[in-house]
Amino acid sequence: MATDTDFQQLAEEVDGPVLRPTDPGYDAECFTYNLLTPLRPVVAVGATSPGDVQAAIRFAARFGLAVAIRGGGHMQPYTAQDALLVTLDRLSGVTVDVDRATARVTGAARWSEVIDATTPYGLAPMSGSSTTVAVIGYALGGGQSPIFGRPHGYASDHVRSFDIVTADAQLRTVSAEAEPELFAALRGGKGNFGVVTAMEIALFRVTSVFAGGIYFPASQIKEVLHTWRDWAARLPKQATTSVAIQNLPPIDEYPEVLHGSHVVHVRYAYLGPAATGRALLEPMRGVGTRLLDTIAQQPYREAAALHNDPVGPIPYQDRSLGLAALPDEALETLVGLTGLGSGSLLASIELRALGGALDRVPARPDFVPSRGLPYQLFAFGVGDGALIPVLHDQLERLFAAMRPWADLKHRRMLNFLSPEEALDPHTLSEVYGADNYDRLLAIKQRFDPHTMFRMNHTVRPRQA
Ligand SMILES: Cc1cc2nc3c(=O)[nH]c(=O)nc-3n(C[C@H](O)[C@H](O)[C@H](O)COP(=O)(O)OP(=O)(O)OC[C@H]3O[C@@H](n4cnc5c(N)ncnc54)[C@H](O)[C@@H]3O)c2cc1C
């Protein structure tokens, strides 16, 4: 058990703040995007350099503490009680190499920071639907971009190297050449192997995209969903789309016409000539009354926010499921539980159409488990207090009802596992598949033999 003197010594060794629960600044250091998953570690270390991370890891090893990691704070496991928390905000940075079309991203740099740094040079990164998500946490789970995903695969396919502090407190540079096994494990293995302090990613020479969203009233959910399913299945891989049934709050983040409304939101991006993107979109535009249509050729920095995700932080619960198919019965089930008159309070029920280059076998081996999955269903409800059990029940009911169409191989996008699922070894071994789970476990046992990194997506020996 560490004493006050031990914590004091750690504070002397580290340049950033070392904060215990009663210290001013502790709550801010333990920030998360989800207000229902507050972090309460025994100590939070605000790393300013890889050296600070190494000192924190040495301390954790000496006292047998688990290490929790916060980048952007979008996917934290409940409290991280009894753990040492490493936060990475002070290490954040982005350096662009224009000639090589790459960026070196450090600490908890968010996609918005990368977009700000790259777009002035006509370069775009494989950002996700929310630009407040941190780049490294996203890529460690694969990272599915609503613009580049189907044309170019997962974000982790475009990572050149990682800098990581492993459980032995060594700082390693990991690439396909330098440390191939760990390089594979980091692309899909989330935070199991250490604290990633930097990552080099490839960028795309793209300045603008034909992209945006169409909002239809809830009265048209049924027609929109049926048309979307048939239309999405025929799109070329340059086109990426998703659809979401949403209860939107009356807040300024949304245009007034959408305030407090129940809508169905079709998102679309086409990487290619605008005229082709526009022609492909016609069947969707013709479905019904459009409340708002923002789809147009636009600079990448605007197109990147095409999902209009909440900026947060917010109190929310979520669930996800990989779907093998969307027959009429599956769509009717969705409409019945979330459409007009259903009483659904869920903020968003989203279907992402995957496929295209997301199914491509990567040039280097990895552990992204969702290749070949046709659709991802993701839903969340926003609210605290008395709403918590109500939203929980609605999510449970929805996902139980959709289970008949679940992917038989249990494939899911790792980045969308709920906190409970990310902590459940059974769910994880299902999602990775037994063979890959065991391979990942063997690499984990080599680099983290005492399971120091056990706070999220933890790969551990399976129960017999
Ligand atoms: C609004 C919203 C939209 C999203 N959209 C997409 C999307 O379009 N596509 C997609 O693929 N995902 C998406 N996600 C999921 C997102 O990619 C994951 O939640 C990701 O884990 C967020 O990383 P973070 O650093 O922001 O979160 P954190 O909560 O800080 O990190 C989550 C976990 O990742 C690991 N981790 C994070 N940083 C590091 C690091 N530097 N070293 C080692 N381990 C680390 C740790 O295990 C940590 O517990 C979205 C999430 C939200 C909330």
Side-chain angles (χ1 to χ4, degrees), residues 31-33 39 68-77 88 107-111 127-146 154 163-164 186 190-198 307 309-311 314 316 318 350 352 378 380 413-417 453 455-457:
F31 160 90
T32 60
Y33 176 84
L39 290 165
I69 305 159
R70 180 180 61 67
H74 281 77
M75 196 187 190
Q76 285 297 326
L88 297 166
R110 314 302 205 262
W111 279 120
S127 46
S129 65
S130 164
T131 56
T132 65
V133 162
V135 179
I136 293 177
Y138 169 93
L140 293 173
Q144 184 256 343
S145 159
Y154 284 96
D163 286 358
I164 182 171
L186 288 172
K190 292 294 287 190
N192 267 296
F193 301 93
V195 181
V196 176
T197 55
H307 278 218
D309 280 337
V311 176
I314 46 174
Y316 69 97
D318 58 15
E350 168 186 279
R352 292 190 185 202
F378 174 69
F380 68 94
M413 284 202 282
L414 275 165
N415 278 345
F416 291 87
L417 294 185
F453 301 100
M455 301 312 294
N456 214 349
H457 308 95

Coordinates of all heavy atoms in Angstrom, one line a residue, residues 31-33 39 68-77 88 107-111 127-146 154 163-164 186 190-198 307 309-311 314 316 318 350 352 378 380 413-417 453 455-457, ligand 1:
F31 N -12.0 14.0 -15.7 CA -13.1 14.3 -16.7 C -13.4 13.0 -17.6 O -12.5 12.3 -18.0 CB -12.6 15.4 -17.6 CG -13.4 15.5 -18.9 CD1 -14.5 16.3 -19.0 CD2 -12.9 14.8 -20.0 CE1 -15.2 16.4 -20.2 CE2 -13.6 14.9 -21.2 CZ -14.8 15.7 -21.3
T32 N -14.7 12.8 -17.8 CA -15.1 11.9 -18.9 C -16.3 12.5 -19.6 O -17.0 13.4 -19.1 CB -15.7 10.5 -18.3 OG1 -16.8 10.8 -17.5 CG2 -14.6 9.8 -17.5
Y33 N -16.5 12.0 -20.9 CA -17.5 12.5 -21.7 C -18.9 12.1 -21.3 O -19.9 12.7 -21.4 CB -17.2 12.0 -23.1 CG -18.2 12.3 -24.2 CD1 -18.2 13.6 -24.8 CD2 -19.2 11.4 -24.6 CE1 -19.1 13.9 -25.8 CE2 -20.1 11.7 -25.6 CZ -20.1 12.9 -26.2 OH -21.0 13.2 -27.2
L39 N -14.7 8.9 -13.1 CA -13.5 8.2 -12.7 C -13.1 8.7 -11.3 O -13.1 9.8 -11.0 CB -12.3 8.6 -13.7 CG -12.5 8.0 -15.1 CD1 -11.5 8.6 -16.0 CD2 -12.2 6.5 -15.0
A68 N -5.4 2.8 -15.4 CA -6.4 3.3 -16.3 C -5.9 4.4 -17.1 O -5.0 5.1 -16.7 CB -7.7 3.7 -15.5
I69 N -6.4 4.5 -18.4 CA -5.9 5.5 -19.3 C -7.0 6.4 -19.8 O -8.1 5.8 -20.2 CB -5.2 4.8 -20.5 CG1 -4.2 3.8 -20.1 CG2 -4.6 5.8 -21.5 CD1 -3.8 2.8 -21.1
R70 N -6.9 7.7 -19.7 CA -7.9 8.6 -20.3 C -7.2 9.4 -21.4 O -6.3 10.2 -21.1 CB -8.6 9.5 -19.3 CG -9.6 10.4 -20.0 CD -10.4 11.3 -19.2 NE -9.6 12.3 -18.5 CZ -8.9 13.3 -19.1 NH1 -8.9 13.4 -20.4 NH2 -8.2 14.1 -18.4
G71 N -7.8 9.3 -22.6 CA -7.4 10.2 -23.7 C -8.5 11.2 -23.8 O -8.6 12.1 -23.0
G72 N -9.4 11.0 -24.7 CA -10.6 11.9 -24.9 C -11.7 11.7 -23.9 O -12.6 12.5 -23.9
G73 N -11.7 10.6 -23.2 CA -12.7 10.3 -22.2 C -14.0 9.9 -22.7 O -15.0 10.0 -22.0
H74 N -14.0 9.3 -23.9 CA -15.3 8.9 -24.5 C -15.8 7.5 -24.2 O -16.9 7.1 -24.6 CB -15.3 9.0 -26.0 CG -15.4 10.5 -26.5 ND1 -14.4 11.4 -26.4 CD2 -16.4 11.1 -27.0 CE1 -14.8 12.5 -26.8 NE2 -16.0 12.4 -27.2
M75 N -15.0 6.7 -23.5 CA -15.4 5.3 -23.4 C -14.8 4.7 -22.1 O -13.9 3.8 -22.2 CB -14.9 4.5 -24.6 CG -15.5 3.2 -24.8 SD -14.6 2.4 -26.1 CE -15.7 1.0 -26.4
Q76 N -15.1 5.3 -21.0 CA -14.5 4.9 -19.8 C -15.3 3.8 -19.0 O -16.5 3.8 -19.1 CB -14.2 6.1 -18.9 CG -13.1 7.0 -19.4 CD -11.8 6.3 -19.3 OE1 -11.5 5.5 -18.5 NE2 -10.9 6.6 -20.3
P77 N -14.6 3.0 -18.3 CA -15.2 1.9 -17.5 C -15.5 2.5 -16.2 O -14.7 2.7 -15.4 CB -14.1 0.9 -17.4 CG -12.8 1.7 -17.4 CD -13.1 3.0 -18.2
L88 N -3.8 12.2 -20.6 CA -2.9 12.5 -21.7 C -3.1 13.8 -22.3 O -2.4 14.2 -23.3 CB -3.0 11.4 -22.7 CG -2.6 10.0 -22.2 CD1 -3.0 8.9 -23.1 CD2 -1.1 9.9 -22.0
G107 N -0.5 12.1 -27.3 CA -1.4 12.3 -26.2 C -2.8 12.1 -26.5 O -3.2 11.2 -27.2
A108 N -3.6 13.0 -26.0 CA -5.1 12.9 -26.2 C -5.6 13.9 -27.3 O -6.7 14.3 -27.2 CB -5.8 13.3 -24.9
A109 N -4.8 14.1 -28.3 CA -5.2 15.0 -29.4 C -6.5 14.5 -29.9 O -6.7 13.3 -30.2 CB -4.1 15.1 -30.5
R110 N -7.5 15.5 -30.1 CA -8.8 15.1 -30.6 C -8.8 15.2 -32.1 O -7.9 15.9 -32.7 CB -9.9 16.1 -30.1 CG -9.8 16.3 -28.6 CD -10.0 15.1 -27.8 NE -10.5 15.3 -26.4 CZ -9.8 15.5 -25.3 NH1 -8.5 15.4 -25.3 NH2 -10.4 15.7 -24.1
W111 N -9.8 14.6 -32.8 CA -9.8 14.7 -34.3 C -9.9 16.2 -34.7 O -9.4 16.6 -35.7 CB -11.0 13.9 -34.8 CG -10.7 12.5 -34.9 CD1 -11.3 11.4 -34.3 CD2 -9.7 11.9 -35.7 NE1 -10.7 10.2 -34.7 CE2 -9.7 10.5 -35.5 CE3 -8.7 12.4 -36.6 CZ2 -8.8 9.6 -36.2 CZ3 -7.8 11.5 -37.2 CH2 -7.9 10.2 -37.0
S127 N -11.0 10.7 -39.7 CA -11.7 11.0 -38.4 C -13.0 10.3 -38.4 O -13.6 9.9 -39.4 CB -11.9 12.5 -38.3 OG -12.4 13.1 -39.5
G128 N -13.6 10.1 -37.1 CA -14.8 9.5 -36.9 C -16.0 10.5 -36.9 O -15.8 11.6 -37.3
S129 N -17.1 10.0 -36.4 CA -18.3 10.9 -36.5 C -18.3 12.0 -35.5 O -18.9 13.0 -35.8 CB -19.6 10.0 -36.3 OG -19.6 9.5 -35.0
S130 N -17.5 11.9 -34.5 CA -17.4 13.0 -33.5 C -16.0 13.5 -33.5 O -15.0 12.7 -33.3 CB -17.8 12.5 -32.1 OG -17.3 13.5 -31.2
T131 N -15.8 14.8 -33.7 CA -14.4 15.3 -33.8 C -13.9 15.6 -32.4 O -12.7 16.0 -32.2 CB -14.4 16.6 -34.6 OG1 -15.3 17.5 -34.1 CG2 -14.7 16.3 -36.1
T132 N -14.7 15.3 -31.3 CA -14.2 15.5 -29.9 C -13.6 14.2 -29.4 O -13.0 14.2 -28.3 CB -15.3 16.0 -29.0 OG1 -16.3 14.9 -28.8 CG2 -15.9 17.2 -29.4
V133 N -13.7 13.1 -30.2 CA -13.1 11.8 -29.8 C -11.6 11.9 -30.0 O -11.1 12.6 -30.9 CB -13.7 10.7 -30.7 CG1 -12.8 9.5 -30.7 CG2 -15.1 10.4 -30.2
A134 N -10.8 11.3 -29.1 CA -9.3 11.4 -29.3 C -8.9 10.3 -30.3 O -9.4 9.2 -30.4 CB -8.7 11.1 -27.9
V135 N -7.8 10.7 -31.0 CA -7.4 10.0 -32.2 C -6.8 8.6 -31.8 O -7.1 7.6 -32.5 CB -6.3 10.8 -33.0 CG1 -5.8 10.1 -34.2 CG2 -6.9 12.1 -33.3
I136 N -6.0 8.5 -30.8 CA -5.3 7.3 -30.5 C -6.3 6.2 -30.0 O -6.3 5.1 -30.4 CB -4.2 7.6 -29.5 CG1 -3.1 8.4 -30.2 CG2 -3.6 6.2 -29.0 CD1 -1.9 8.8 -29.3
G137 N -7.2 6.6 -29.0 CA -8.2 5.7 -28.5 C -9.0 5.1 -29.6 O -9.4 3.9 -29.7
Y138 N -9.4 5.9 -30.6 CA -10.2 5.6 -31.7 C -9.5 4.5 -32.6 O -10.0 3.5 -32.9 CB -10.5 6.8 -32.5 CG -11.1 6.8 -33.9 CD1 -12.5 6.9 -34.1 CD2 -10.3 6.8 -35.0 CE1 -13.0 6.9 -35.3 CE2 -10.8 6.8 -36.3 CZ -12.2 6.9 -36.4 OH -12.7 6.9 -37.7
A139 N -8.2 4.8 -32.9 CA -7.5 3.9 -33.8 C -7.1 2.6 -33.2 O -7.1 1.6 -33.8 CB -6.2 4.6 -34.3
L140 N -7.0 2.6 -31.8 CA -6.7 1.3 -31.1 C -7.9 0.4 -31.2 O -7.7 -0.8 -31.1 CB -6.3 1.6 -29.7 CG -5.0 2.3 -29.4 CD1 -4.9 2.7 -27.9 CD2 -3.8 1.5 -29.8
G141 N -9.1 0.9 -31.5 CA -10.2 0.0 -31.7 C -10.6 -0.2 -33.1 O -11.7 -0.6 -33.4
G142 N -9.7 0.2 -34.0 CA -10.0 0.1 -35.5 C -10.2 1.4 -36.0 O -9.4 2.0 -36.7
G143 N -11.4 2.0 -35.7 CA -11.8 3.4 -36.1 C -12.5 3.4 -37.4 O -11.8 3.2 -38.5
Q144 N -13.8 3.5 -37.4 CA -14.6 3.5 -38.6 C -15.0 4.9 -38.9 O -15.7 5.6 -38.2 CB -15.8 2.6 -38.5 CG -16.6 2.5 -39.7 CD -17.9 3.2 -39.7 OE1 -18.4 3.7 -38.7 NE2 -18.5 3.5 -40.9
S145 N -14.5 5.4 -40.1 CA -14.8 6.8 -40.5 C -16.1 6.9 -41.4 O -16.2 6.1 -42.3 CB -13.6 7.4 -41.2 OG -14.0 8.5 -42.0
P146 N -17.0 7.8 -41.1 CA -18.2 7.9 -41.9 C -17.9 8.5 -43.3 O -18.8 8.6 -44.1 CB -19.1 8.9 -41.1 CG -18.4 9.1 -39.8 CD -17.0 8.7 -39.9
Y154 N -10.3 0.6 -42.3 CA -10.3 1.1 -40.9 C -9.1 2.1 -40.7 O -8.1 2.0 -41.4 CB -10.2 0.0 -39.9 CG -11.5 -0.7 -39.7 CD1 -11.8 -1.9 -40.5 CD2 -12.5 -0.2 -38.9 CE1 -13.0 -2.5 -40.3 CE2 -13.7 -0.9 -38.8 CZ -14.0 -2.0 -39.5 OH -15.2 -2.6 -39.4
D163 N 4.2 5.0 -30.5 CA 5.1 5.0 -29.4 C 4.3 4.6 -28.2 O 3.2 5.1 -27.9 CB 5.6 6.4 -29.1 CG 6.7 6.8 -30.2 OD1 7.0 6.0 -31.1 OD2 7.1 8.0 -30.1
I164 N 4.8 3.6 -27.4 CA 4.0 3.1 -26.3 C 4.9 2.8 -25.1 O 6.0 2.4 -25.2 CB 3.3 1.8 -26.7 CG1 2.4 1.2 -25.6 CG2 4.2 0.7 -27.2 CD1 1.5 0.0 -26.0
L186 N -1.9 -3.9 -31.3 CA -2.3 -2.5 -31.1 C -3.4 -2.1 -32.0 O -4.2 -1.2 -31.7 CB -1.2 -1.5 -31.1 CG -0.2 -1.6 -29.9 CD1 1.0 -0.7 -30.1 CD2 -0.9 -1.2 -28.6
K190 N -7.1 -2.3 -28.4 CA -7.4 -1.2 -27.5 C -6.3 -1.0 -26.5 O -5.1 -1.0 -26.8 CB -8.8 -1.5 -26.8 CG -10.0 -1.4 -27.7 CD -10.3 0.0 -28.3 CE -10.8 1.0 -27.4 NZ -11.3 2.2 -28.1
G191 N -6.6 -0.7 -25.2 CA -5.6 -0.3 -24.2 C -5.0 -1.4 -23.4 O -4.5 -1.2 -22.3
N192 N -4.9 -2.6 -24.0 CA -4.4 -3.8 -23.3 C -2.9 -3.8 -23.1 O -2.4 -4.6 -22.3 CB -4.8 -5.1 -24.0 CG -6.1 -5.6 -23.5 OD1 -6.2 -6.0 -22.4 ND2 -7.2 -5.6 -24.4
F193 N -2.2 -3.1 -23.9 CA -0.7 -3.3 -24.0 C 0.1 -2.2 -23.4 O 1.4 -2.3 -23.4 CB -0.4 -3.6 -25.4 CG -1.1 -4.8 -25.9 CD1 -2.3 -4.6 -26.6 CD2 -0.7 -6.1 -25.7 CE1 -3.1 -5.7 -27.0 CE2 -1.4 -7.2 -26.1 CZ -2.6 -7.0 -26.7
G194 N -0.5 -1.1 -23.0 CA 0.3 0.0 -22.4 C -0.3 1.3 -22.8 O -1.4 1.4 -23.3
V195 N 0.4 2.4 -22.5 CA 0.0 3.7 -22.7 C 0.6 4.2 -24.0 O 1.8 4.4 -24.1 CB 0.3 4.7 -21.6 CG1 -0.2 6.1 -21.9 CG2 -0.2 4.2 -20.2
V196 N -0.2 4.4 -25.1 CA 0.3 4.9 -26.3 C 0.5 6.4 -26.2 O -0.5 7.1 -26.0 CB -0.6 4.5 -27.5 CG1 -0.1 5.1 -28.8 CG2 -0.7 3.0 -27.6
T197 N 1.7 6.9 -26.4 CA 1.9 8.3 -26.2 C 1.9 9.1 -27.6 O 1.7 10.3 -27.6 CB 3.3 8.6 -25.5 OG1 4.3 7.9 -26.3 CG2 3.2 8.0 -24.1
A198 N 2.2 8.3 -28.7 CA 2.2 9.0 -30.0 C 1.9 7.9 -31.1 O 2.0 6.7 -30.9 CB 3.6 9.6 -30.3
H307 N -22.5 13.8 -38.9 CA -23.4 13.1 -38.0 C -24.1 14.0 -37.0 O -25.1 13.7 -36.4 CB -22.7 12.0 -37.2 CG -22.5 10.7 -38.0 ND1 -22.7 9.5 -37.4 CD2 -22.2 10.5 -39.3 CE1 -22.5 8.5 -38.3 NE2 -22.2 9.1 -39.4
D309 N -23.1 14.8 -34.0 CA -23.1 14.1 -32.7 C -23.1 15.1 -31.6 O -22.6 16.2 -31.8 CB -21.8 13.3 -32.6 CG -21.8 11.9 -33.3 OD1 -23.0 11.5 -33.5 OD2 -20.8 11.4 -33.6
P310 N -23.7 14.8 -30.4 CA -23.7 15.7 -29.3 C -22.3 16.1 -28.9 O -21.4 15.2 -28.9 CB -24.4 15.0 -28.2 CG -24.6 13.6 -28.7 CD -24.3 13.5 -30.1
V311 N -22.0 17.3 -28.6 CA -20.7 17.7 -28.2 C -20.3 17.3 -26.8 O -19.2 17.0 -26.4 CB -20.5 19.3 -28.4 CG1 -19.1 19.7 -28.0 CG2 -20.7 19.6 -29.9
I314 N -22.3 14.5 -21.6 CA -23.7 14.2 -21.3 C -23.8 12.9 -20.5 O -22.9 12.0 -20.6 CB -24.5 14.0 -22.6 CG1 -23.7 13.1 -23.6 CG2 -24.9 15.3 -23.2 CD1 -24.5 12.7 -24.8
Y316 N -25.1 9.3 -20.4 CA -25.8 8.4 -21.3 C -25.5 7.0 -21.1 O -24.5 6.6 -20.5 CB -25.4 8.8 -22.8 CG -24.0 8.6 -23.2 CD1 -23.7 7.4 -23.9 CD2 -23.0 9.5 -22.9 CE1 -22.4 7.2 -24.3 CE2 -21.7 9.2 -23.3 CZ -21.4 8.1 -24.0 OH -20.1 7.9 -24.4
D318 N -25.4 3.2 -23.5 CA -25.5 2.8 -24.8 C -25.4 1.3 -25.0 O -25.0 0.6 -24.0 CB -24.4 3.5 -25.7 CG -23.0 3.2 -25.2 OD1 -22.8 2.3 -24.3 OD2 -22.1 3.9 -25.6
E350 N -29.0 4.0 -34.3 CA -28.3 4.2 -35.6 C -27.9 2.9 -36.2 O -27.5 2.0 -35.6 CB -27.0 5.0 -35.2 CG -26.0 5.1 -36.3 CD -24.7 5.8 -35.8 OE1 -24.7 7.0 -35.7 OE2 -23.8 5.0 -35.5
R352 N -25.3 1.7 -39.1 CA -24.2 2.0 -40.0 C -24.1 0.9 -41.1 O -23.9 -0.3 -40.7 CB -22.9 2.2 -39.3 CG -22.8 3.4 -38.4 CD -21.5 3.8 -37.9 NE -21.6 4.9 -36.9 CZ -20.6 5.7 -36.6 NH1 -19.4 5.5 -37.1 NH2 -20.8 6.7 -35.7
F378 N -26.3 0.8 -33.2 CA -25.8 1.4 -32.0 C -26.9 2.4 -31.5 O -27.5 3.1 -32.3 CB -24.6 2.2 -32.4 CG -24.1 3.1 -31.2 CD1 -23.5 2.5 -30.1 CD2 -24.2 4.5 -31.2 CE1 -23.0 3.3 -29.0 CE2 -23.7 5.2 -30.2 CZ -23.1 4.6 -29.1
F380 N -28.3 5.0 -28.1 CA -28.0 5.5 -26.8 C -29.1 6.4 -26.3 O -29.9 6.9 -27.1 CB -26.7 6.3 -26.7 CG -26.6 7.6 -27.5 CD1 -26.9 8.8 -26.9 CD2 -26.3 7.6 -28.8 CE1 -26.8 10.0 -27.6 CE2 -26.2 8.8 -29.6 CZ -26.5 10.0 -29.0
M413 N -18.2 -3.7 -33.8 CA -17.1 -2.8 -33.8 C -16.7 -2.5 -32.3 O -17.5 -2.1 -31.5 CB -17.5 -1.5 -34.5 CG -17.5 -1.6 -36.0 SD -17.4 -0.1 -36.9 CE -19.0 0.5 -36.7
L414 N -15.4 -2.7 -32.0 CA -15.0 -2.6 -30.6 C -15.2 -1.3 -30.0 O -15.5 -1.1 -28.8 CB -13.4 -2.8 -30.6 CG -13.0 -4.2 -30.5 CD1 -11.5 -4.3 -30.9 CD2 -13.2 -4.8 -29.2
N415 N -15.1 -0.2 -30.8 CA -15.3 1.1 -30.3 C -16.7 1.4 -29.9 O -16.9 2.5 -29.3 CB -14.9 2.1 -31.4 CG -13.4 2.3 -31.5 OD1 -12.7 1.9 -30.6 ND2 -12.9 2.9 -32.6
F416 N -17.6 0.5 -30.1 CA -19.0 0.8 -29.8 C -19.5 -0.1 -28.6 O -20.7 -0.2 -28.3 CB -19.9 0.7 -31.0 CG -19.7 1.8 -31.9 CD1 -18.7 1.7 -32.9 CD2 -20.4 3.0 -31.8 CE1 -18.4 2.8 -33.8 CE2 -20.1 4.1 -32.7 CZ -19.2 4.0 -33.7
L417 N -18.6 -0.9 -28.0 CA -19.0 -1.7 -26.9 C -19.4 -0.8 -25.7 O -18.7 0.2 -25.5 CB -17.9 -2.7 -26.5 CG -17.4 -3.8 -27.4 CD1 -16.4 -4.7 -26.8 CD2 -18.6 -4.6 -27.9
F453 N -2.8 -3.5 -17.1 CA -3.8 -2.8 -17.9 C -5.1 -3.6 -17.9 O -5.3 -4.5 -18.8 CB -3.3 -2.5 -19.3 CG -2.1 -1.6 -19.3 CD1 -0.8 -2.2 -19.4 CD2 -2.2 -0.3 -19.0 CE1 0.3 -1.4 -19.3 CE2 -1.0 0.5 -18.9 CZ 0.2 -0.1 -19.0
M455 N -8.4 -2.3 -16.9 CA -9.5 -1.4 -16.6 C -10.5 -1.3 -17.7 O -11.6 -0.8 -17.6 CB -9.1 0.0 -16.2 CG -8.2 0.1 -15.0 SD -8.8 -0.9 -13.6 CE -10.3 -0.1 -13.2
N456 N -10.2 -1.8 -18.9 CA -11.1 -1.6 -20.1 C -10.7 -2.7 -21.2 O -9.5 -2.8 -21.4 CB -10.9 -0.2 -20.6 CG -12.2 0.3 -21.2 OD1 -13.2 -0.4 -21.3 ND2 -12.2 1.6 -21.5
H457 N -11.7 -3.3 -21.7 CA -11.4 -4.3 -22.8 C -10.4 -5.3 -22.4 O -9.6 -5.8 -23.3 CB -10.9 -3.6 -24.1 CG -11.8 -2.5 -24.5 ND1 -11.6 -1.2 -24.2 CD2 -12.9 -2.5 -25.3 CE1 -12.5 -0.4 -24.7 NE2 -13.4 -1.2 -25.4
Ligands
LIG1 C1 -20.1 10.8 -29.8 C2 -19.2 9.6 -30.2 C3 -19.0 9.3 -31.6 C4 -18.1 8.3 -32.0 N1 -17.9 8.0 -33.3 C5 -17.1 7.0 -33.6 C6 -16.9 6.6 -35.0 O1 -17.5 7.3 -35.9 N2 -16.1 5.6 -35.3 C7 -15.5 4.9 -34.4 O2 -14.7 4.0 -34.7 N3 -15.6 5.1 -33.1 C8 -16.5 6.2 -32.7 N4 -16.7 6.4 -31.3 C9 -16.1 5.6 -30.3 C10 -14.7 6.0 -30.0 O3 -13.8 5.8 -31.0 C11 -14.2 5.3 -28.7 O4 -15.1 5.6 -27.7 C12 -12.8 5.6 -28.3 O5 -12.4 4.7 -27.3 C13 -12.6 7.0 -27.8 O6 -11.3 7.2 -27.4 P1 -11.0 8.4 -26.3 O7 -9.6 8.5 -26.1 O8 -11.8 9.6 -26.7 O9 -11.8 7.8 -25.0 P2 -11.2 7.3 -23.6 O10 -12.4 7.1 -22.7 O11 -10.2 8.3 -23.1 O12 -10.4 6.0 -23.9 C14 -11.1 4.8 -24.0 C15 -10.2 3.6 -23.8 O13 -9.3 3.5 -24.9 C16 -8.0 3.2 -24.4 N5 -7.1 4.3 -24.7 C17 -7.4 5.6 -25.0 N6 -6.3 6.3 -25.3 C18 -5.3 5.4 -25.1 C19 -3.9 5.5 -25.2 N7 -3.3 6.7 -25.6 N8 -3.1 4.4 -25.0 C20 -3.7 3.3 -24.6 N9 -5.0 3.1 -24.5 C21 -5.8 4.1 -24.7 C22 -8.1 2.9 -22.9 O14 -8.4 1.6 -22.7 C23 -9.3 3.7 -22.5 O15 -10.0 3.2 -21.4 C24 -17.5 7.5 -30.9 C25 -17.7 7.8 -29.6 C26 -18.6 8.8 -29.2 C27 -18.8 9.1 -27.8

